[in-house]
């Protein structure tokens, strides 16, 4: 069972930074008047004797078959090596780096190469239009009919689109632009990133 405890915190409505007491200016994002009082219920699990829950299935590691994960090659040997042999089907990869370092160009090249091998790739952009992405795609000398584009930032729409089209690879550029109406904060905030990441991981699985 659980023991509940009431806890008062102060959270910034712009960036979700939390403080033990009220402050006029958020030190994380620099906004004034965005720190508001919130009351949270903290639940702490306590062991319950004689639980009626069924016992878990315990296995010996020696008896578990050694099945290697199915991987999708990106056609970039160095990138495949970093990933341990390619993209794991059902997995999620977060590519990070400074602005302008070439992340979008790299993932567009990877998407184009994979699409050339009869795999449907869905490129989702929350920052650029379809014409901008197509122009960069053509400048890179890529020609792949299997690469599809979706300009969207609503996580609900993105999730429905992926479920409907079931592409072999989904590229989202970038997760900081995605938001769900269920979370009352700006895109790119900690709570939005946490919610989007959790749902995208579940979707990939």
């Amino acid at each position: 069972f659980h023991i509940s405890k009431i806890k008062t915190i102060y959270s910034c409505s712009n960036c979700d930074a939390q403080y033990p007491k009220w402050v006029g200016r958020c030190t994380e994002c620099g906004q004034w008047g965005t720190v508001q009082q919130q009351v949270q219920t903290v639940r702490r699990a306590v062991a319950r004797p004689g639980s009626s829950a069924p016992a878990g299935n315990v296995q010996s590691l020696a008896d578990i078959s050694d099945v290697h994960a199915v991987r999708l090659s990106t056609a970039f040997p160095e990138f495949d090596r970093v990933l341990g042999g390619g993209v794991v089907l059902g997995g999620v990869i977060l590519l990070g780096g400074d602005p302008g370092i070439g992340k979008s160009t790299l993932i567009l090249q990877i998407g184009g190469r994979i699409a050339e091998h009869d795999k449907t790739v869905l490129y989702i952009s929350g920052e650029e239009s379809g014409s901008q992405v197509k122009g960069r795609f053509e400048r890179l000398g890529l020609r792949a009919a299997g690469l599809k584009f979706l300009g969207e930032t609503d996580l609900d729409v993105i999730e429905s689109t992926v479920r409907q089209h079931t592409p072999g690879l989904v590229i989202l550029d970038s997760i900081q632009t995605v938001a769900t109406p269920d979370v009352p904060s700006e895109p790119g905030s900690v709570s939005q990133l946490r919610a989007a990441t959790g749902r995208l991981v579940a979707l990939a699985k």
Side-chain angles (χ1 to χ4, degrees):
F1 63 95
H2 296 82
I3 295 179
S4 298
K5 180 181 178 181
I6 303 300
K7 179 181 178 182
T8 301
I9 64 170
Y10 296 86
S11 177
C12 175
S13 60
N14 184 58
C15 70
D16 292 319
Q18 295 182 352
Y19 302 90
K21 60 181 181 180
W22 184 85
V23 293
R25 179 176 180 268
C26 177
T27 58
E28 294 294 327
C29 65
Q31 296 294 319
W32 288 91
T34 57
V35 178
Q36 301 173 352
Q37 179 179 341
Q38 292 185 351
V39 178
Q40 291 184 337
T41 302
V42 181
R43 304 183 69 197
R44 181 168 59 90
V46 179
R48 178 172 59 187
S51 173
S52 60
N57 183 24
V58 179
Q59 295 177 281
S60 171
L61 286 178
D63 297 334
I64 298 176
S65 59
D66 184 17
V67 179
H68 295 286
V70 179
R71 294 181 180 269
L72 181 65
S73 175
T74 64
F76 286 87
E78 296 83 1
F79 195 74
D80 284 346
R81 191 178 304 116
V82 171
L83 300 179
V87 179
V88 177
L89 298 184
V92 176
I93 300 168
L94 177 62
L95 182 63
D98 295 331
I101 202 173
K103 301 183 297 296
S104 297
T105 300
L106 175 61
I107 60 177
L108 190 58
Q109 287 178 304
I110 291 172
R113 294 284 184 87
I114 292 178
E116 288 176 353
H117 293 82
D118 298 326
K119 293 288 185 180
T120 301
V121 178
L122 177 60
Y123 188 100
I124 305 171
S125 177
E127 300 174 336
E128 296 181 303
S129 65
S131 58
Q132 289 176 306
V133 174
K134 182 179 180 180
R136 183 151 40 87
F137 189 73
E138 292 178 343
R139 286 194 299 271
L140 293 171
L142 301 173
R143 298 288 187 274
L147 197 145
K148 309 298 182 181
F149 175 82
L150 172 66
E152 187 58 64
T153 58
D154 189 319
L155 183 59
D156 294 340
V157 176
I158 291 173
E159 187 173 347
S160 297
T161 304
V162 172
R163 291 186 184 280
Q164 178 179 345
H165 293 271
T166 60
L169 177 69
V170 177
I171 297 173
L172 175 60
D173 187 13
S174 68
I175 194 172
Q176 290 180 320
T177 64
V178 173
T180 171
D182 298 333
V183 179
S185 61
E186 296 296 321
S189 65
V190 176
S191 56
Q192 285 285 4
L193 290 173
R194 186 184 297 118
T197 302
R199 287 178 57 177
L200 291 173
V201 170
L203 180 62
K205 298 297 182 184

